Every structure is written in C-alpha cells, then in structure tokens.
Amino acid sequence: MSHLKDQVILVTGGTSGIGQACTELFTEHGAKVIAMSIQAEQGEALANRLQAEGRTCLFHYGDVRREEDVRAAVELAVSRFGRLDAACANAGVLRTQKITQVTVDDFNLVLGVNLLGPIWVCKYAIPVMEQQAKGCICFTTSVASEIGFPEHGVYCASKAGLVALMRCLVTDHSPKGIRFVAVSPGTIDTPMLASSCEGWDKPKEELYADVARKIPVRRLGQPIDVARVIGFLLSDEAGYINGSVVYVEGGTLALPPW
C-alpha cells in the first residue's frame, strides 16, 4: 500500500467499523486522512491516538445528511493539505423493518445517510478532483443491493441507489480524470451488525456463529478485509477499474436460494 503515502483521503463514517479500518490502514501507510462522523468522542480519541503514533489524521465532526457539513470536510482537506486525492463515501445506517412498518422519519434517515450523504460528497469532491485532473471516489454499498434481505427494504433500496449513482457519475465525470468505484461487503463484524442483533432470542455470538456456518468461507468478514480492497481500488494499479463493484462477501452471492 505504498501508493497511499501522502495521499489526502476523506473517509465518511471514518470512526467506526469499515470506516475506522480505512482510517487506520490508510494512515498506517502514510496517507493524510480526514475522518468524518457524528461520533465526537470516538473521533477525537481516534485522531489523537493516530497522531500520537506519528500518523496524519484529522477528525471532522459532521452529519453526511447536512450539505454544509460535507462541504466543510472537503474544504478542511483542501485548506490543510492543498488537495483531495480520494474520498470514501462510507457512512451508513440500518433500520430493520417491513415496508408496512416504515415511517417517513425512518425513510429520511436511511436514504439521507446512505444515499444523500454520498451525493453531497460527490458534489464537493468532484470539482476539486476535476481541477487536479485526477481523483477517485469509492462508495460502500452492500450485497443487500442485490439480495432481498427480509425486513431491509429501505436499506436495500438505498444501497442499490448507490450503484446507479456511481455509474451515472462515470459517464459525467470520468473523462475529466475521476474514477468511481464501489465495494459491496457481505456480513462484516461491525458495530452496525451488532446492533441488528438486538431483540433476537439468541445472544449475538450464537447468531454470528449461525451466519458464519452458512457463508462459504465459514467466517464473518472483518472491517480490514474491506479496507484492504478499498486501499487497492484507490491506487493507480486499479486505474482501469471504473464504474465497477468489487464484492467482499466470502462467497455469499454464490449461495443457492434454499
């Protein structure tokens, strides 16, 4: 991952789960990371720890649903480091419910974080990257964009929307030097996954073991599994990968429907 050295990278949702793994991996290899999230305490602690280790990490408190918060994160990158080489539109939220139970507030939250947030990232990152004539934006989608997960209707729709957005961006902006890519994780051991276990009649550990037995590689993914793939996609070695989704799901999509 030597290609990450001195790269300026914005990571939304950068203080937990896959986003935190990206922040830690990228700074380990010399990148200058702006980690944005609504987790003020965790974000400050993460940035302070990484800085104490000699890495370059700035924490930016912000909600990706708020246009001004995302604009400020991009402006922070440019003002401090003079450029923005990559952005990882990673922040996500999950609500588990049937469509017959959905409220407007549920819909606005999930679509606001999972789809509108990446749109704001692109709105403000793209002009910077076009001026540089180079950049890469990576979206964290999900196998939920292709599988009819029970009680995940709005979440699945939000992740499928990300893929459609990415491909439209390719046609509009790749001729000016920007690549758009996506990772599609399967079942990853993150705090968001843990929160989805609430209310079940089994403890989390048993639920995880049940799921792991069904995945062909017989384990849940770890955030670092996804971060490593994202790190590669940001490199010049991945320069001909554009408008593509890379699946990081242990073989989940190969499973038969019975």
Side-chain angles (χ1 to χ4, degrees), residues 135-161:
C136 183
I137 297 178
C138 183
F139 304 96
T140 302
T141 180
S142 169
V143 294
S145 67
E146 302 188 40
I147 298 174
F149 282 9
E151 301 184 359
H152 281 66
V154 177
Y155 179 78
C156 291
S158 71
K159 293 300 187 176

Short mmCIF file of all heavy atoms in Angstrom, two decimals, residues 135-161:
data_model
loop_
_atom_site.label_atom_id
_atom_site.label_comp_id
_atom_site.label_asym_id
_atom_site.label_seq_id
_atom_site.Cartn_x
_atom_site.Cartn_y
_atom_site.Cartn_z
N GLY A 135 -8.51 11.83 -9.44
CA GLY A 135 -9.12 11.54 -8.15
C GLY A 135 -9.92 10.25 -8.22
O GLY A 135 -10.16 9.71 -9.31
N CYS A 136 -10.31 9.75 -7.08
CA CYS A 136 -11.11 8.53 -7.03
C CYS A 136 -12.11 8.64 -5.88
O CYS A 136 -11.75 9.06 -4.77
CB CYS A 136 -10.21 7.31 -6.82
SG CYS A 136 -11.10 5.72 -6.82
N ILE A 137 -13.34 8.27 -6.15
CA ILE A 137 -14.37 8.23 -5.12
C ILE A 137 -14.87 6.80 -5.02
O ILE A 137 -15.27 6.19 -6.03
CB ILE A 137 -15.52 9.20 -5.43
CG1 ILE A 137 -15.01 10.64 -5.44
CG2 ILE A 137 -16.66 9.03 -4.41
CD1 ILE A 137 -16.05 11.69 -5.78
N CYS A 138 -14.83 6.26 -3.82
CA CYS A 138 -15.25 4.88 -3.58
C CYS A 138 -16.48 4.86 -2.68
O CYS A 138 -16.51 5.53 -1.63
CB CYS A 138 -14.12 4.08 -2.91
SG CYS A 138 -14.53 2.34 -2.63
N PHE A 139 -17.48 4.12 -3.08
CA PHE A 139 -18.73 4.01 -2.33
C PHE A 139 -18.78 2.66 -1.62
O PHE A 139 -18.39 1.64 -2.19
CB PHE A 139 -19.94 4.11 -3.26
CG PHE A 139 -19.97 5.36 -4.08
CD1 PHE A 139 -19.47 5.38 -5.37
CD2 PHE A 139 -20.50 6.53 -3.56
CE1 PHE A 139 -19.50 6.53 -6.13
CE2 PHE A 139 -20.52 7.69 -4.30
CZ PHE A 139 -20.02 7.70 -5.60
N THR A 140 -19.29 2.66 -0.40
CA THR A 140 -19.54 1.40 0.30
C THR A 140 -21.00 1.05 0.10
O THR A 140 -21.89 1.64 0.72
CB THR A 140 -19.22 1.51 1.80
OG1 THR A 140 -17.85 1.90 1.97
CG2 THR A 140 -19.44 0.17 2.48
N THR A 141 -21.26 0.11 -0.78
CA THR A 141 -22.62 -0.37 -0.99
C THR A 141 -22.80 -1.65 -0.16
O THR A 141 -22.28 -1.75 0.94
CB THR A 141 -22.93 -0.54 -2.49
OG1 THR A 141 -24.27 -1.01 -2.63
CG2 THR A 141 -21.97 -1.45 -3.19
N SER A 142 -23.48 -2.66 -0.66
CA SER A 142 -23.73 -3.87 0.12
C SER A 142 -24.31 -4.94 -0.77
O SER A 142 -24.96 -4.64 -1.79
CB SER A 142 -24.73 -3.55 1.25
OG SER A 142 -25.19 -4.74 1.87
N VAL A 143 -24.09 -6.20 -0.39
CA VAL A 143 -24.78 -7.27 -1.11
C VAL A 143 -26.30 -7.12 -0.96
O VAL A 143 -27.06 -7.71 -1.73
CB VAL A 143 -24.34 -8.66 -0.63
CG1 VAL A 143 -22.88 -8.92 -0.99
CG2 VAL A 143 -24.58 -8.85 0.86
N ALA A 144 -26.73 -6.31 -0.01
CA ALA A 144 -28.16 -6.02 0.14
C ALA A 144 -28.73 -5.30 -1.07
O ALA A 144 -29.95 -5.24 -1.24
CB ALA A 144 -28.40 -5.19 1.41
N SER A 145 -27.86 -4.75 -1.92
CA SER A 145 -28.35 -4.10 -3.14
C SER A 145 -28.82 -5.14 -4.16
O SER A 145 -29.49 -4.79 -5.13
CB SER A 145 -27.25 -3.23 -3.76
OG SER A 145 -26.18 -4.03 -4.23
N GLU A 146 -28.47 -6.41 -3.94
CA GLU A 146 -28.79 -7.46 -4.91
C GLU A 146 -29.57 -8.62 -4.32
O GLU A 146 -29.99 -9.51 -5.06
CB GLU A 146 -27.50 -7.99 -5.54
CG GLU A 146 -26.70 -6.90 -6.23
CD GLU A 146 -25.53 -7.46 -7.02
OE1 GLU A 146 -25.71 -8.50 -7.66
OE2 GLU A 146 -24.46 -6.85 -6.99
N ILE A 147 -29.71 -8.64 -3.01
CA ILE A 147 -30.42 -9.74 -2.34
C ILE A 147 -31.63 -9.16 -1.62
O ILE A 147 -31.54 -8.11 -0.98
CB ILE A 147 -29.50 -10.44 -1.32
CG1 ILE A 147 -28.29 -11.07 -2.02
CG2 ILE A 147 -30.27 -11.52 -0.56
CD1 ILE A 147 -27.28 -11.66 -1.06
N GLY A 148 -32.74 -9.87 -1.69
CA GLY A 148 -33.94 -9.40 -1.00
C GLY A 148 -33.90 -9.77 0.47
O GLY A 148 -34.60 -10.69 0.92
N PHE A 149 -33.09 -9.05 1.24
CA PHE A 149 -32.99 -9.33 2.67
C PHE A 149 -34.35 -9.08 3.35
O PHE A 149 -34.94 -8.02 3.15
CB PHE A 149 -31.95 -8.43 3.32
CG PHE A 149 -30.52 -8.86 3.09
CD1 PHE A 149 -30.20 -9.86 2.21
CD2 PHE A 149 -29.49 -8.23 3.78
CE1 PHE A 149 -28.90 -10.25 1.99
CE2 PHE A 149 -28.17 -8.61 3.58
CZ PHE A 149 -27.87 -9.63 2.69
N PRO A 150 -34.81 -10.01 4.18
CA PRO A 150 -36.08 -9.79 4.89
C PRO A 150 -36.01 -8.54 5.77
O PRO A 150 -35.01 -8.31 6.46
CB PRO A 150 -36.23 -11.05 5.74
CG PRO A 150 -35.40 -12.09 5.05
CD PRO A 150 -34.24 -11.34 4.46
N GLU A 151 -37.03 -7.75 5.73
CA GLU A 151 -37.20 -6.57 6.58
C GLU A 151 -36.09 -5.54 6.38
O GLU A 151 -35.73 -4.81 7.30
CB GLU A 151 -37.32 -6.98 8.05
CG GLU A 151 -38.50 -7.92 8.30
CD GLU A 151 -38.69 -8.25 9.76
OE1 GLU A 151 -37.91 -7.77 10.60
OE2 GLU A 151 -39.64 -9.00 10.07
N HIS A 152 -35.55 -5.46 5.16
CA HIS A 152 -34.49 -4.49 4.85
C HIS A 152 -34.82 -3.66 3.61
O HIS A 152 -33.94 -3.18 2.92
CB HIS A 152 -33.16 -5.22 4.61
CG HIS A 152 -32.45 -5.65 5.85
ND1 HIS A 152 -32.96 -6.60 6.70
CD2 HIS A 152 -31.27 -5.26 6.39
CE1 HIS A 152 -32.11 -6.79 7.71
NE2 HIS A 152 -31.08 -5.99 7.54
N GLY A 153 -36.10 -3.49 3.33
CA GLY A 153 -36.50 -2.87 2.06
C GLY A 153 -35.87 -1.52 1.79
O GLY A 153 -35.30 -1.29 0.71
N VAL A 154 -35.95 -0.60 2.74
CA VAL A 154 -35.41 0.74 2.52
C VAL A 154 -33.89 0.70 2.46
O VAL A 154 -33.27 1.38 1.62
CB VAL A 154 -35.91 1.70 3.61
CG1 VAL A 154 -35.29 3.08 3.43
CG2 VAL A 154 -37.43 1.82 3.57
N TYR A 155 -33.28 -0.09 3.31
CA TYR A 155 -31.82 -0.22 3.30
C TYR A 155 -31.35 -0.77 1.95
O TYR A 155 -30.41 -0.24 1.34
CB TYR A 155 -31.38 -1.13 4.43
CG TYR A 155 -29.89 -1.36 4.51
CD1 TYR A 155 -29.05 -0.40 5.06
CD2 TYR A 155 -29.32 -2.54 4.04
CE1 TYR A 155 -27.67 -0.61 5.13
CE2 TYR A 155 -27.95 -2.76 4.12
CZ TYR A 155 -27.13 -1.79 4.66
OH TYR A 155 -25.78 -2.00 4.73
N CYS A 156 -31.97 -1.85 1.49
CA CYS A 156 -31.60 -2.44 0.21
C CYS A 156 -31.74 -1.42 -0.92
O CYS A 156 -30.86 -1.31 -1.78
CB CYS A 156 -32.47 -3.66 -0.09
SG CYS A 156 -32.16 -5.10 0.97
N ALA A 157 -32.83 -0.67 -0.91
CA ALA A 157 -33.05 0.33 -1.96
C ALA A 157 -31.98 1.41 -1.92
O ALA A 157 -31.51 1.87 -2.96
CB ALA A 157 -34.44 0.95 -1.79
N SER A 158 -31.58 1.82 -0.72
CA SER A 158 -30.57 2.87 -0.60
C SER A 158 -29.23 2.40 -1.15
O SER A 158 -28.51 3.18 -1.81
CB SER A 158 -30.41 3.31 0.86
OG SER A 158 -29.78 2.31 1.65
N LYS A 159 -28.88 1.14 -0.93
CA LYS A 159 -27.60 0.63 -1.42
C LYS A 159 -27.63 0.38 -2.93
O LYS A 159 -26.62 0.59 -3.62
CB LYS A 159 -27.24 -0.64 -0.66
CG LYS A 159 -26.92 -0.42 0.81
CD LYS A 159 -25.73 0.52 0.99
CE LYS A 159 -25.28 0.63 2.43
NZ LYS A 159 -24.08 1.47 2.61
N ALA A 160 -28.77 -0.05 -3.45
CA ALA A 160 -28.89 -0.20 -4.90
C ALA A 160 -28.80 1.16 -5.58
O ALA A 160 -28.22 1.30 -6.66
CB ALA A 160 -30.21 -0.89 -5.24
N GLY A 161 -29.36 2.18 -4.93
CA GLY A 161 -29.27 3.52 -5.48
C GLY A 161 -27.85 4.01 -5.61
O GLY A 161 -27.51 4.76 -6.55
#
